[in-house]
Amino acid sequence: MYKQFSFSPLITWAYTTFINLLSPPCCSYCKEFLQERVVFCMRCMAKLQPVVSMMMPITTTKSIKVFAAFAYKEPIKTLIMAKSWSDSVASVHLGQLMWERTDVRSVSFDYLVPVPLHWTRFAKRGFNQAQEIAQVIAQKSGTCVAPILKRQKRTPFQAGLKAVERISNVNDAFMLKNIDVSLYKDKHLVIVDDLLTTGSTIRACAKVLFQLKPASITVVVACRVVD
């Protein structure tokens, strides 16, 4: 009996070679050409400033842990801002970095809940960056994305608003979709977003999710603004 020959390694090599010729791997920040497809070159990776996890108070009795990969500075800032010109590939890169560089990979959780966009903003941009990030983490963790939150009013961008204005801006901005709430009771939920500044958006989302009576709520973001 002859041993069956597998073409899969050859096909994989050919596909990878074709993609690299079509779009050569390069650093997402300095654009230096690279030997392999990674997010940043070694020089740009060295510029990233890690940040420690923190506890964020939601109410007088409830707090949640926040995992952030890096401080909101270059070169990661460029990936965050890429959503402004509808670059969804940057979101995939953020998801990879968040999985590799935060302790969320060591947390046991059931669902990833992306912070939603208002439908008008989604239509203009063409994608939700938080949703794209959550898809990457879901694939790597073997869990599910649960887009169960809805942004029910179109709020101005948080950037440029004062801290007090940010709180009122997202007040009652989110609600639960028409879901089976029993699926999420006593489950471990992870809120996913790209950037945390004052935490007003995350707090607003968490307050809504607490209605589900989950076992826990954790947050993972790509960047956190630090002093």
Side-chain angles (χ1 to χ4, degrees), residues 49-211:
Q49 179 182 334
V51 292
V52 298
S53 60
M54 59 174 280
M55 296 299 298
M56 175 189 292
I58 304 301
T59 67
T60 55
T61 59
K62 292 183 173 66
S63 297
I64 57 179
K65 177 166 280 190
V66 177
F67 295 111
F70 306 106
Y72 184 52
K73 299 178 180 180
E74 294 294 7
I76 198 73
K77 187 175 180 179
T78 293
L79 290 185
I80 298 291
M81 296 306 297
K83 62 188 176 184
S84 302
W85 50 86
S86 299
D87 182 359
S88 61
V89 175
S91 301
V92 176
H93 292 163
L94 287 172
Q96 293 171 348
L97 289 171
M98 289 162 67
W99 178 254
E100 296 168 0
R101 297 303 181 104
T102 69
D103 287 335
V104 72
R105 63 186 180 278
S106 62
V107 174
S108 177
F109 58 89
D110 301 294
Y111 296 103
L112 293 152
V113 183
V115 173
L117 292 176
H118 190 264
W119 71 267
T120 56
R121 196 157 288 161
F122 182 91
K124 181 178 180 180
R125 189 176 297 170
F127 68 99
N128 177 7
Q129 188 171 24
Q131 174 101 18
E132 298 297 318
I133 291 170
Q135 293 288 359
V136 175
I137 298 176
Q139 183 179 24
K140 292 182 177 297
S141 62
T143 52
C144 298
V145 177
I148 57 178
L149 289 175
K150 177 181 179 180
R151 191 182 288 257
Q152 60 183 342
K153 65 179 184 179
R154 190 171 188 264
T155 56
F157 288 110
Q158 292 283 76
L161 298 179
K162 297 178 181 178
V164 175
E165 294 173 330
R166 287 172 183 248
I167 295 173
S168 60
N169 188 42
V170 293
N171 187 36
D172 297 325
F174 302 98
M175 63 178 289
L176 290 172
K177 292 183 178 179
N178 185 18
I179 59 174
D180 182 356
V181 296
S182 65
L183 294 175
Y184 306 97
K185 183 179 179 180
D186 297 324
K187 298 299 183 181
H188 298 277
L189 309 180
V190 175
I191 300 174
V192 180
D193 206 3
D194 57 348
L195 174 65
L196 187 145
T197 50
T198 63
S200 299
T201 299
I202 294 297
R203 286 190 181 92
C205 290
K207 287 178 181 179
V208 175
L209 292 176
F210 273 126
Q211 299 173 19

Side-chain angles (χ1 to χ4, degrees), residues 15-26:
Y15 175 79
T16 302
T17 301
F18 174 75
I19 292 298
N20 288 343
L21 288 173
L22 190 66
S23 177
C26 66

